[in-house]
């Protein structure tokens, strides 16, 4: 007897919402204090214009994940952001890059599985 506790669509929906919340909060923190975000990016030799792309991309991408609207496209963009985050934090040890790595794993699942049953159709 093989009975799942959660359906695949329900599990995907919950994962999408949780990932989306992470990015909405992270994006909002960047966008709401853009001078600090630009300063932080500059300290890592990242051009200032990328602070805007990442900040608004995380905010909008997070909303798109939550709604399931173009979720795979959002997950692809956010995966690139997380790959860069893993690369930039790699030298600081596992504790520093484990969070972006775990989030990347969730995003890869969304890229592969799509938004699932519970989504806004585009």
């Amino acid at each position: 007897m093989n009975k799942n506790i959660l359906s695949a669509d329900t599990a995907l929906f919950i994962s999408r919402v949780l990932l989306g919340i992470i990015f909405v909060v992270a994006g909002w923190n960047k966008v709401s204090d853009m001078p600090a975000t630009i300063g932080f990016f500059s300290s890592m030799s990242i051009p200032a214009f990328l602070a805007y792309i990442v900040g608004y991309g995380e905010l909008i991408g997070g909303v798109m994940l939550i709604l399931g609207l173009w979720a795979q496209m959002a997950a692809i963009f956010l995966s690139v952001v997380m790959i860069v985050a893993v690369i930039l934090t790699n030298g600081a040890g596992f504790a520093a890059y484990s969070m972006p790595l775990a989030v990347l794993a969730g995003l890869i699942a969304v890229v592969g599985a799509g938004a699932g049953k519970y989504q806004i159709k585009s």
Side-chain angles (χ1 to χ4, degrees):
M1 180 181 245
N2 186 10
K3 229 176 178 153
N4 292 332
I5 295 171
L6 283 176
S7 73
D9 285 314
T10 302
L12 187 56
F13 173 71
I14 292 168
S15 298
R16 261 191 16 246
V17 169
L18 292 174
L19 287 166
I21 290 169
I22 290 169
F23 282 107
V24 167
V25 171
W28 179 254
N29 288 339
K30 288 176 180 71
V31 168
S32 65
D33 192 1
M34 193 52 75
T37 302
I38 291 170
F40 178 67
F41 276 50
S42 294
S43 73
M44 296 183 293
S45 300
I46 300 172
F49 77 93
L50 287 177
Y52 289 95
I53 293 172
V54 171
Y56 284 102
E58 286 181 350
L59 182 61
I60 295 166
V63 171
M64 291 169 65
L65 283 176
I66 291 168
L67 298 176
L69 182 63
W70 299 310
Q72 285 177 300
M73 295 299 290
I76 290 169
F77 171 80
L78 294 170
S79 291
V80 172
V81 172
M82 288 297 97
I83 289 167
V84 172
V86 168
I87 291 168
L88 291 175
T89 58
N90 188 32
F94 182 74
Y97 71 83
S98 61
M99 177 62 97
L101 189 62
V103 171
L104 175 61
L107 291 168
I108 290 169
V110 174
V111 170
K117 179 179 172 183
Y118 307 112
Q119 64 172 297
I120 293 178
K121 302 284 184 181
S122 55

